[in-house]
Amino acid sequence: MRKLEIPEIMKRHILWIKGGERGQPADLSLRDLRKYKFDQINLHKAKLAGANMSKCSDRQADLSHCDMFSVMLDGADMTQSKLDHADLRGAHLRGVILEGASLVGADLRGGALMLGGDAAESALTNAVLDHANLDNANISGPNLAGSSMYHSSMRGARMEGTNLSDDNLRGSGLDGAILKNANLSNTNLNGASLVGADFSGLTLKGTDLTNADLNDANLEGVDLAEANLTGAKLSRPTSEFPADIQRILKEHFEWIESGAKTGARADLAENDIERIDLPGEDLSGAVLKRTAMSGANLASCRFVMREMEEARLTGANLSDAFLEGANLQRADLRSANLTGANLAGSDLRGADLSNARLTGADLRGANLCDAVPDGAFIADADMTDAILEGASLEDAIREAVDLDAALADDADEYLNVAV
């Protein structure tokens, strides 16, 4: 049987699409298609496994439900193409342009053409998927490092173990996405919607989550310390916490309102209230030793007569909080937002303030001995009479701050600021 030429295969495929008697679905498996142009061509359900389509122009092509297992698409222009439910396992997609493309339900898992070779991961490095639709797509495993997916939709997508480092996902929709063990190092997720996403076990080093919506996201085992969480929504209402936590808080607020006549002072020592949403509440007198409060929204809260030694407050929002005289020895305040907070006279000995935001904070007379403020933003913070012995602020200054009053005659020992 003679091998059909590619133009003849395409004619028969188009006839098949239209329901013609002589039509049949295209089988272009393992073919070299690099010299062909497929703009606006309907290849629905075609077999393209192992085909070489590198640098092809496939703009607005219909490749839905196609078998594209291990297809070569390096450098191809697939702008606004339709790839819904396509089998793209093991596809080679380096430098592919998928701007405005639809990949609803597509499968981009690692795979291999069954010719005795080793399995190869799908590679989408430096790909352009801006405004693409990847809802419910399986993108587990491939290397998407350095790609742009600006304002793309990936709701419900499976992205387990996917390398998304250095990607631009600004404004993207990832609600319900499964991102377990993915690499999001230095990824831009500014303004992204991640409601209900599974973040368990992933890497967030240098990740920009500014103004991102992380409500109901699974952050089990995730270290938020090196991520930028400014303005991020990741808190949970008290109604989602166990009944005993709700009872303790209810009795505490009653205790505050009655002037200690009724109710009871909260003792939440060593309890887990991570990501709790309690803005503006009065937590004065509460025992919070070693309490897990990472990601909590505690903006404008009052903490009078508070015991907070070794509290875990990574990424917590404590902006404008009243913490005057608070005992925060050895507290974990990495990436916490303490903008405008009153920390006058507080005990921050040994506290980890790495990457914390202390812009405009009141630290007059605060004890920062042996604290770790690496990368902390302390512009416009008032550190008059602050005790800084053993706290190196060399890496903390991001803008000029007058610390002469705090450092007195020993400034050169603790801080080297270029004037």
Side-chain angles (χ1 to χ4, degrees):
M1 182 181 290
R2 71 183 180 90
K3 189 174 183 180
L4 293 176
E5 295 299 319
I6 290 168
E8 186 175 351
I9 292 173
M10 291 303 304
K11 287 178 182 177
R12 294 190 180 191
H13 183 80
I14 292 168
L15 278 173
W16 175 74
I17 290 290
K18 293 179 177 179
E21 292 182 3
R22 296 182 57 195
Q24 66 182 73
D27 187 349
L28 295 165
S29 302
L30 300 173
R31 293 294 190 103
D32 188 346
L33 305 171
R34 286 176 291 177
K35 68 178 182 180
Y36 294 94
K37 188 175 181 180
F38 295 95
D39 291 351
Q40 299 181 336
I41 296 293
N42 189 341
L43 282 163
H44 176 69
K45 288 191 175 181
K47 293 183 179 180
L48 294 158
N52 190 345
M53 300 177 74
S54 298
K55 297 185 179 179
C56 276
S57 181
D58 306 298
R59 296 170 67 91
Q60 297 181 340
D62 186 346
L63 294 156
S64 59
H65 293 272
C66 282
D67 178 358
M68 303 179 78
F69 192 70
S70 288
V71 69
M72 298 285 292
L73 287 164
D74 293 345
D77 185 353
M78 307 190 78
T79 301
Q80 295 183 356
S81 60
K82 187 176 181 180
L83 290 149
D84 297 346
H85 303 287
D87 183 353
L88 285 155
R89 289 174 297 157
H92 297 263
L93 296 152
R94 289 181 178 86
V96 69
I97 300 172
L98 286 159
E99 185 169 358
S102 178
L103 292 99
V104 176
D107 191 344
L108 290 106
R109 289 175 293 173
L113 193 60
M114 303 310 291
L115 295 173
D118 295 331
E121 288 185 342
S122 299
L124 274 158
T125 50
N126 303 309
V128 178
L129 291 102
D130 296 342
H131 306 285
N133 187 337
L134 292 108
D135 289 350
N136 302 308
N138 192 332
I139 321 172
S140 297
N143 184 0
L144 281 153
S147 296
S148 179
M149 289 178 274
Y150 175 77
H151 276 281
S152 290
S153 181
M154 289 164 273
R155 291 175 172 82
R158 297 187 67 88
M159 306 174 84
E160 296 176 74
T162 302
N163 184 358
L164 296 161
S165 59
D166 299 300
D167 283 8
N168 179 12
L169 290 160
R170 187 184 179 97
S172 291
L174 288 145
D175 298 341
I178 300 173
L179 291 149
K180 293 172 67 175
N181 301 311
N183 184 353
L184 288 165
S185 298
N186 301 311
T187 301
N188 184 352
L189 283 158
N190 190 319
S193 181
L194 295 146
V195 176
D198 188 349
F199 271 44
S200 53
L202 55 69
T203 305
L204 287 174
K205 186 175 182 179
T207 308
D208 185 358
L209 286 160
T210 304
N211 298 319
D213 191 345
L214 290 150
N215 281 321
D216 299 319
N218 179 7
L219 294 164
E220 183 179 354
V222 177
D223 187 352
L224 299 169
E226 297 186 62
N228 183 354
L229 294 162
T230 305
K233 301 174 185 176
L234 43 71
S235 53
R236 295 182 291 162
T238 54
S239 58
E240 291 186 10
F241 286 82
D244 59 331
I245 298 293
Q246 295 183 49
R247 176 185 53 78
I248 291 170
L249 288 169
K250 182 180 179 181
E251 291 180 354
H252 178 80
F253 297 141
E254 183 183 333
W255 181 74
I256 291 290
E257 290 177 8
S258 68
K261 294 177 181 177
T262 59
R265 176 188 181 191
D267 187 347
L268 290 164
E270 301 186 10
N271 273 282
D272 183 352
I273 54 171
E274 289 192 344
R275 298 164 56 205
I276 196 165
D277 190 26
L278 290 171
E281 296 289 0
D282 194 339
L283 291 164
S284 298
V287 180
L288 298 167
K289 292 181 180 179
R290 292 180 291 279
T291 303
M293 294 178 281
S294 295
N297 182 7
L298 302 166
S300 301
C301 282
R302 288 181 60 80
F303 295 92
V304 179
M305 289 177 7
R306 60 280 105 208
E307 302 171 43
M308 302 172 72
E309 300 99 309
E310 299 181 24
R312 298 203 301 275
L313 288 152
T314 306
N317 182 1
L318 287 155
S319 57
D320 298 311
F322 186 87
L323 289 151
E324 185 174 348
N327 185 350
L328 286 157
Q329 289 185 61
R330 299 179 299 283
D332 186 351
L333 287 154
R334 291 174 296 164
S335 296
N337 183 0
L338 288 153
T339 303
N342 185 347
L343 288 153
S346 60
D347 190 345
L348 287 157
R349 286 177 292 172
D352 192 344
L353 291 157
S354 301
N355 301 310
R357 302 190 72 86
L358 289 149
T359 307
D362 186 352
L363 286 155
R364 291 174 298 167
N367 191 340
L368 287 152
C369 285
D370 300 316
V372 182
D374 296 346
F377 293 83
I378 57 175
D380 300 319
D382 188 346
M383 303 182 78
T384 305
D385 297 324
I387 303 170
L388 299 167
E389 185 177 354
S392 176
L393 298 177
E394 291 182 0
D395 297 322
I397 303 298
R398 298 300 173 93
E399 298 177 35
V401 178
D402 183 7
L403 295 174
D404 290 343
L407 297 168
D409 297 330
D410 297 320
D412 293 335
E413 183 177 350
Y414 306 116
L415 181 64
N416 180 21
V417 181
V419 179

